[in-house]
Amino acid sequence: VAYSTDSKPEFAYEPFNAGRDFGPIDIGRTVVYCRWVDALRENHASCTAIVHLTADGPKETWTNTVTLCAAYLVLAQGFSAEDAFRPFLGFEDSLPLFVDCRGESAAGSGINDDGEQEFKLRVLDVLLGIQRARDLGWVDYRTFPAEEHSSMLRPEHGDMSWLIPGQALAMASPWAEPFDLDNLPVCMPENLAPYFLENNVRLIVQCNNPALEEGEARRRKISYDPQSFEREGIRHLAIPF
């Protein structure tokens, strides 16, 4: 059986800085991919091989495809990261490294080149992280709440995800107003507090510094009132970097 994800939007990476970052795909969609491959194998149990095809186009697509294939071996088949990646060692040098969305800006983007050292990630690095999360019990592809994870990533639902289930949650800055600069709905502290209390989040560490943001309108919109959390019994610390 031969299959491809090239035409499936659910497995397409949406860049933050177009022309620069290209993955890896988030853990929720990686889990969905694993379940999809399981279904393919079940529906074609008599086949002797299952092959993931990808277009002979940008090599960034190759990197994402290899990551998905190997992630399936780690999460669904119990492989180590090294064993899962071993079939691809012969053309490792042909796979572009994952790059953070900051740094060398794509033409026309609003992201400045601040001279910071590049942060690059190999496919094997991603697989080692997935293996570690699997071994710690943080990710079980059969039970992972993929729909909830996807919903939480939306700005109107907090733009957040659990780094360590039940212990550490990462999120974009809450907003001081209910709509962002594009007039799209976003979360204010009062929208987030019920979820935090329900999931025992009792401390928020703010790492951004709204005063350093370019543009008065954006500074105003993300300068939320920390007391909105404090009044709900959630501590708030500002440690900008």
Side-chain angles (χ1 to χ4, degrees), residues 174-176 178 187-195 225 228-229 231-232:
W175 296 73
C187 278
M188 300 169 64
E190 51 266 39
N191 306 129
L192 296 168
Y195 180 85
D225 180 10
S228 299
F229 289 118
R231 285 191 290 271
E232 298 291 341

Side-chain angles (χ1 to χ4, degrees), residues 6 54-63 94 96:
D6 291 353
T54 189
D56 186 16
K59 290 186 177 180
E60 288 80 5
T61 302
W62 300 3
T63 301
S94 299

Side-chain angles (χ1 to χ4, degrees), residues 17-240:
N17 187 359
R20 178 177 173 79
D21 59 304
F22 59 91
I25 293 171
D26 70 79
I27 189 63
R29 286 188 287 178
T30 300
V31 162
V32 171
Y33 172 84
C34 292
R35 295 171 182 170
W36 181 55
V37 174
D38 266 358
L40 285 174
R41 296 183 64 202
E42 182 178 347
N43 292 335
H44 302 278
S46 61
C47 292
T48 57
I50 182 167
V51 182
H52 186 147
L53 302 178
T54 189
D56 186 16
K59 290 186 177 180
E60 288 80 5
T61 302
W62 300 3
T63 301
N64 275 321
T65 298
V66 168
T67 303
L68 282 174
C69 291
Y72 176 79
L73 295 177
V74 173
L75 290 174
Q77 300 295 305
F79 280 45
S80 69
E82 292 85 355
D83 287 344
F85 188 66
R86 186 165 288 114
F88 308 102
L89 286 174
F91 59 96
E92 180 178 13
D93 292 341
S94 299
L95 300 175
L97 300 177
F98 292 117
V99 185
D100 188 87
C101 62
R102 299 174 301 163
E104 297 174 357
S105 305
S109 81
I111 303 178
N112 294 322
D113 183 358
D114 56 11
E116 291 183 357
Q117 183 68 32
E118 291 279 84
F119 180 74
K120 297 183 178 181
L121 208 61
R122 303 171 301 161
V123 171
L124 183 57
D125 296 324
V126 175
L127 298 176
L128 286 167
I130 292 174
Q131 176 188 324
R132 181 63 172 162
R134 179 202 68 190
D135 292 347
L136 289 171
W138 295 352
V139 178
D140 183 331
Y141 85 104
R142 295 160 297 189
T143 59
F144 185 85
E147 290 187 7
E148 178 185 356
H149 176 85
S150 177
S151 175
M152 289 171 62
L153 291 176
R154 298 184 62 82
E156 66 269 28
H157 296 156
D159 197 359
M160 57 189 180
S161 63
W162 287 99
L163 299 180
I164 303 176
Q167 297 186 45
L169 181 74
M171 64 174 175
S173 177
W175 296 73
E177 301 177 13
F179 297 93
D180 66 12
L181 294 171
D182 296 318
N183 205 35
L184 297 174
V186 289
C187 278
M188 300 169 64
E190 51 266 39
N191 306 129
L192 296 168
Y195 180 85
F196 291 167
L197 294 172
E198 180 182 350
N199 289 275
N200 202 33
V201 176
R202 291 294 184 267
L203 171 65
I204 292 173
V205 179
Q206 181 184 10
C207 297
N208 68 332
N209 187 346
L212 299 180
E213 292 286 338
E214 295 183 5
E216 189 278 330
R218 178 170 173 79
R219 285 197 299 272
R220 183 187 75 249
K221 283 183 174 289
I222 67 171
S223 296
Y224 65 91
D225 180 10
Q227 290 301 313
S228 299
F229 289 118
E230 296 278 1
R231 285 191 290 271
E232 298 291 341
I234 303 171
R235 292 180 59 208
H236 185 283
L237 293 177
I239 309 179

